Amino acid sequence: MNTVIFRTIAPMIVATVLVFSLYICLRGHNEPGGGFIGGLIAASAIAILGMATSAAKARRALHIDPLAIAGFGVLMAALSGLLSIFNGNPFLTSIWLYLDIGGSTVPLSTPLIFDLGVYCVVFGTIASIALALEGDDTEEL
């Protein structure tokens, strides 16, 4: 799958799919979607980039090791649960904060932080697996 057409349009596909994955992740609290599905969609974008270029170039484009992103996601999800303990509630109890910005109220919550953590875990894990399957053992990183 290394045609000129595919290599040319792959960055546009990747950008569109990454934005769509963030949309799916953020709307997932009240509608279908969420961190898991958003992370899967984002990882598929990196897999497309790896197919169009190479696994080594896709890793360089990420700038951060995908497994480090997964580890950060685990930490983020765990911290979102621990915040409720510091508030005197059981682990993973939701905490909501309502901010008035520009005349509208924007709700922020620990479930959103948890969803973003799941997004990072799924993205990092699946992207790492996809790039390992696409990679060649002789490639330099």
Side-chain angles (χ1 to χ4, degrees), residues 85-109:
I85 290 177
F86 296 126
N87 202 19
N89 295 316
F91 183 66
L92 286 175
T93 301
S94 299
I95 299 172
W96 290 83
L97 175 67
Y98 296 94
L99 299 175
D100 289 324
I101 299 175
S104 63
T105 303
V106 177
L108 296 176
S109 64

Side-chain angles (χ1 to χ4, degrees), residues 70-82:
F72 176 72
V74 169
L75 183 67
M76 214 164 117
L79 288 177
S80 72
L82 288 175

Side-chain angles (χ1 to χ4, degrees), residues 3 6 22-24 30 47 51 54-55 73 81 84 101 110-111 121 124 128 140:
T3 64
F6 187 52
L22 287 174
Y23 169 74
I24 291 294
N30 296 323
M51 285 189 286
S54 70
S84 59
I101 299 175
T110 53
V121 168
S128 179
E140 291 183 27

Side-chain angles (χ1 to χ4, degrees), residues 5-6 8-19 44-45 48-49:
I5 296 171
F6 187 52
T8 304
I9 65 169
M12 292 179 277
I13 293 171
V14 169
T16 304
V17 170
L18 285 176
V19 170
S44 69
I48 290 171
L49 185 63

Side-chain angles (χ1 to χ4, degrees), residues 118-136:
V118 170
Y119 178 91
C120 290
V121 168
V122 172
F123 169 72
T125 304
I126 301 300
S128 179
I129 291 170
L131 293 176
L133 290 174
E134 293 172 357
D136 185 7

